[in-house]
Amino acid sequence: VDLMTVAEEAVRDIKSCFPQHIGEIQLIGEKLVIYGKKSIFLKVFENILENAIEEAGSKTCITLEISRNFFGNIKIEIQNTGSVIPMHLRSEIFKIYITTKLGGHGIGLAICKKLISDSGGTISVSSDDLKKTTKFVISLPNAKILRTIDSIC
């Protein structure tokens, strides 16, 4: 699965579901093709993007960055402006039925954690109360990179 192409699809889907969103959604990084299921990463990206817009509002700016280090470990960072997860919920936010949204069910991030864990990765969250930002970090240390798009002839 090409992670950047999946991210682009998630952004298109979210923009069609939230036409009132006028903030920027920026995609940064490499086009990495890894062994994995497209549906897993699409679900995770869409859930986090949807939560960001629902929590932070229609003007939130979102950045989704895909990178890898020298050892080939993949890191996906999704950051939004305008909202934070309360300190007392940050360690609990991936548990089922924990939510910050009025009318939320607390299922989406629990599913994201399970999907990423089943893919051999981890997901974490941090918020900066002063800057009013929240960042989700997905680490895929064991992801098998099949190729980069730039290397395809």
Side-chain angles (χ1 to χ4, degrees), residues 76-127:
I76 303 163
E77 296 180 325
I78 305 171
Q79 180 171 303
N80 70 278
T81 60
S83 72
V84 297
I85 296 172
M87 179 70 82
H88 69 281
L89 289 179
R90 291 178 195 163
S91 63
E92 307 287 316
I93 201 69
F94 294 105
K95 293 181 179 175
I96 195 152
Y97 307 127
I98 301 294
T99 185
T100 61
K101 294 191 290 189
L102 185 62
H105 301 290
I107 296 172
L109 289 175
I111 290 171
C112 289
K113 181 176 177 113
K114 173 80 169 121
L115 292 172
I116 294 300
S117 178
D118 288 352
S119 298
T122 61
I123 184 169
S124 61
V125 67
S126 62
S127 286

Side-chain angles (χ1 to χ4, degrees), residues 22-36:
I22 56 173
E24 181 181 3
I25 302 177
Q26 185 177 19
L27 299 176
I28 302 169
E30 297 181 73
K31 288 187 165 263
L32 300 173
V33 178
I34 66 167
Y35 179 77

Side-chain angles (χ1 to χ4, degrees), residues 13-23 25 43 45-62 78-85 93 98-109 134 136:
D13 292 348
I14 289 300
K15 284 184 175 183
S16 69
C17 290
F18 294 93
Q20 76 280 9
H21 179 253
I22 56 173
I25 302 177
K43 175 73 174 166
F45 293 164
E46 286 178 347
N47 186 272
I48 295 172
L49 292 172
E50 179 179 331
N51 285 349
I53 292 170
E54 288 177 347
E55 281 293 308
S58 63
K59 294 182 181 178
T60 186
C61 292
I62 302 168
I78 305 171
Q79 180 171 303
N80 70 278
T81 60
S83 72
V84 297
I85 296 172
I93 201 69
I98 301 294
T99 185
T100 61
K101 294 191 290 189
L102 185 62
H105 301 290
I107 296 172
L109 289 175
T134 296
F136 286 85

